[in-house]
Amino acid sequence: MARTSLQCRECKKQYDTAFKYVCDDCFGPLDVKYNFPTVTKNTFVNREHNYWRYFELLPIENKSNIISIGAGMTPLIKADNLGKKLGLNNLYIKNDSVNPTFSFKDRPAGVAISKAKEFGLSAVGCASTGNLASATAAHAAKAGLPCHVFAPSNIEMAKIAQALSYGANYIAVDGTYDDANRIAAQIGDSKGIGIVNINMRSHYVEGSKTLAYEVAEQLDWQVPDQLIVPVGSGAMLNAICKGFEELQTVSLLNDITNMHMIAAQPHGCAPIVDAFKKNSKEVIPVENPDTIAKSLAIGDPGDGRYVLKRLEQYNGFAEECNNKEILDAILLLARTEGIFTEPAGGVSVAVLQKMIEQGKIDKNDSVVCYVTGNGLKATEAIMEVLQKPKVMKANITEISAVVN
């Protein structure tokens, strides 16, 4: 019996594993389904310190196809200083800003590129708001595969430089992420290129569920009460839920029904929050996203309605925050915990603050806040609110006078 298959999320029709991502009958998205082997908590002891330690729960058939640059098993920080400021006793920061390309995208990109190798594809690519461009290009370089990146032309320069450094063919699209995504989809299908977050999406999203596996293991196989997840396309939140469900399926976790999922989006591109607050099942796209959180500026979120289902399933909420709140949250996290995040992580922390203010998080709840990208990848926004250093002469008397 094959280790994995594909199943339609809508009509539940099953398929053999293949380079395929849409159901033939209803055009619903296909998810990877597993015949899980028996695993125990001891299965993962003394394994490599990256997310491939969970090989049995991931969709690669043969370990020889794994493309790894060492991503995963990032710190779960007990954020006592920030917790004290916010009135929380059990706050944790899942710090994915320290991955090899400095964002959580190393997780899905690594799984997708590994599967592309297993499928025998000759080229890969992605549509990106920046972080995925770097992650895909880095893994493609390691795999020796050509990589084509389609991204809006106005993303942060550091992210463009990073992807170019790995040797990607970088196509800067004069338009939004959704424009870049549409073009990538058409070119990927017509040329047989593995576009990781489009025609490889079924396998790609499996990388993000390792954010659930690691948190559970790092909490000694306990389920957090509250999880704050920054949301762009919605794939990450959906995958984290799938990850916890699978850990319950293989009996590594007990009841997970009491965890609360909180979707965090930036004002100016918060279509899922808008739908949630209107109690609507329809996510209306934002045509022209306007936010400093460019990595979350996805106006038409592919998994938007599935996020709404997850919020209903797991007693969740959705909230947004404005640019000032994002910048304030970046500085708050940096100055309490020494973690410098890009605006997407600021969105998580800002929404966490709002949930506390609204009485939706208790001071004794176990809270995990996901920080998904490094601040050095998006310095333009934060520089606007930082005090410019004063240049002084190399005079000990003058400089001593300003050092308190």
Side-chain angles (χ1 to χ4, degrees):
M1 182 179 289
R3 211 165 70 84
T4 66
S5 57
L6 295 172
Q7 183 178 51
C8 177
R9 199 180 295 176
E10 294 293 334
C11 73
K12 306 305 179 186
K13 181 175 179 177
Q14 292 198 29
Y15 300 86
D16 291 338
T17 296
F19 180 34
K20 183 181 184 67
Y21 67 109
V22 175
C23 177
D24 293 337
D25 289 358
C26 73
F27 307 109
L30 301 180
D31 291 325
V32 179
K33 188 177 180 184
Y34 295 83
N35 295 303
F36 287 121
T38 299
V39 294
T40 69
K41 295 170 185 176
N42 291 329
T43 300
F44 310 111
V45 174
N46 298 324
R47 284 204 174 171
E48 62 267 40
H49 206 67
N50 59 57
Y51 66 76
W52 290 108
R53 67 196 281 112
Y54 307 110
F55 172 76
E56 291 85 353
L57 312 180
L58 290 169
I60 306 304
E61 300 290 338
N62 190 322
K63 285 187 177 182
S64 67
N65 292 314
I66 289 176
I67 302 298
S68 174
I69 60 173
M73 280 312 284
T74 55
L76 183 69
I77 305 293
K78 181 71 159 48
D80 290 327
N81 295 333
L82 179 58
K84 188 174 181 181
K85 283 259 187 187
L86 300 180
L88 297 178
N89 295 326
N90 299 293
L91 173 61
Y92 297 86
I93 301 294
K94 181 58 172 169
N95 183 13
D96 248 34
S97 72
V98 298
N99 271 313
T101 74
F102 311 111
S103 87
F104 89 98
K105 291 293 189 181
D106 281 334
R107 298 172 184 274
V111 172
I113 299 297
S114 299
K115 199 64 187 180
K117 180 183 177 184
E118 196 154 81
F119 283 149
L121 301 184
S122 59
V124 294
C126 68
S128 178
T129 54
N131 285 328
L132 182 57
S134 303
T136 304
H139 284 86
K142 179 75 171 177
L145 289 171
C147 178
H148 306 278
V149 168
F150 304 82
S153 59
N154 66 344
I155 64 173
E156 297 92 343
M157 280 305 300
K159 295 175 181 177
I160 297 174
Q162 192 179 12
L164 287 170
S165 297
Y166 298 126
N169 174 28
Y170 195 101
I171 297 100
V173 177
D174 183 15
T176 65
Y177 167 79
D178 296 302
D179 293 324
N181 189 78
R182 172 176 47 81
I183 291 167
Q186 293 172 356
I187 290 176
D189 286 348
S190 65
K191 294 182 179 289
I193 297 170
I195 305 295
V196 297
N197 56 332
I198 302 177
N199 57 20
M200 295 290 297
R201 192 174 183 84
S202 301
H203 295 93
Y204 162 86
V205 296
E206 293 296 284
S208 296
K209 73 183 184 182
T210 60
L211 283 162
Y213 295 168
E214 289 178 21
V215 163
E217 185 177 1
Q218 289 167 322
L219 290 176
D220 195 24
W221 304 104
Q222 299 298 308
V223 183
D225 298 310
Q226 310 277 354
L227 297 105
I228 297 90
V229 181
V231 171
S233 73
M236 176 179 157
L237 186 146
N238 194 52
I240 288 173
C241 292
K242 186 174 189 276
F244 279 109
E245 289 166 356
E246 289 175 348
L247 292 179
Q248 186 176 34
T249 297
V250 298
S251 302
L252 289 175
L253 291 178
N254 296 320
D255 184 22
I256 65 170
T257 57
N258 291 325
M259 71 178 184
H260 295 71
M261 299 300 300
I262 297 169
Q265 290 197 293
H267 179 74
C269 191
I272 295 171
V273 175
D274 291 341
F276 177 83
K277 291 188 174 183
K278 292 174 182 174
N279 198 26
S280 170
K281 293 182 179 179
E282 182 183 5
V283 178
I284 299 174
V286 174
E287 287 191 17
N288 296 296
D290 182 15
T291 172
I292 60 168
K294 292 182 180 180
S295 61
L296 300 181
I298 298 176
D300 189 6
D303 275 15
R305 64 192 187 93
Y306 298 110
V307 170
L308 294 174
K309 288 182 178 181
R310 291 299 198 181
L311 298 183
E312 183 178 2
Q313 180 182 2
Y314 290 110
N315 318 297
F317 300 98
E319 188 55 90
E320 65 178 18
C321 50
N322 61 36
N323 285 348
K324 181 182 184 306
E325 291 166 335
I326 294 169
L327 294 172
D328 288 347
I330 291 172
L331 295 179
L332 178 63
L333 179 62
R335 293 171 182 181
T336 54
E337 298 298 334
I339 297 171
F340 182 36
T341 180
E342 68 169 8
V347 170
S348 298
V349 175
V351 166
L352 167 64
Q353 290 177 276
K354 289 193 170 187
M355 292 290 100
I356 297 166
E357 292 164 3
Q358 295 171 18
K360 296 186 171 81
I361 295 178
D362 184 79
K363 67 178 182 178
N364 291 317
D365 282 349
S366 172
V367 182
V368 173
C369 187
Y370 285 96
V371 168
T372 50
N374 197 296
L376 290 175
K377 302 182 82 172
T379 56
E380 292 96 327
I382 197 67
M383 286 301 294
E384 296 175 7
V385 296
L386 296 176
Q387 184 176 351
K388 304 295 185 292
K390 181 182 178 183
V391 178
M392 302 185 69
K393 293 180 180 178
N395 180 291
I396 186 65
T397 304
E398 289 184 18
I399 292 178
S400 180
V402 300
V403 177
N404 296 320

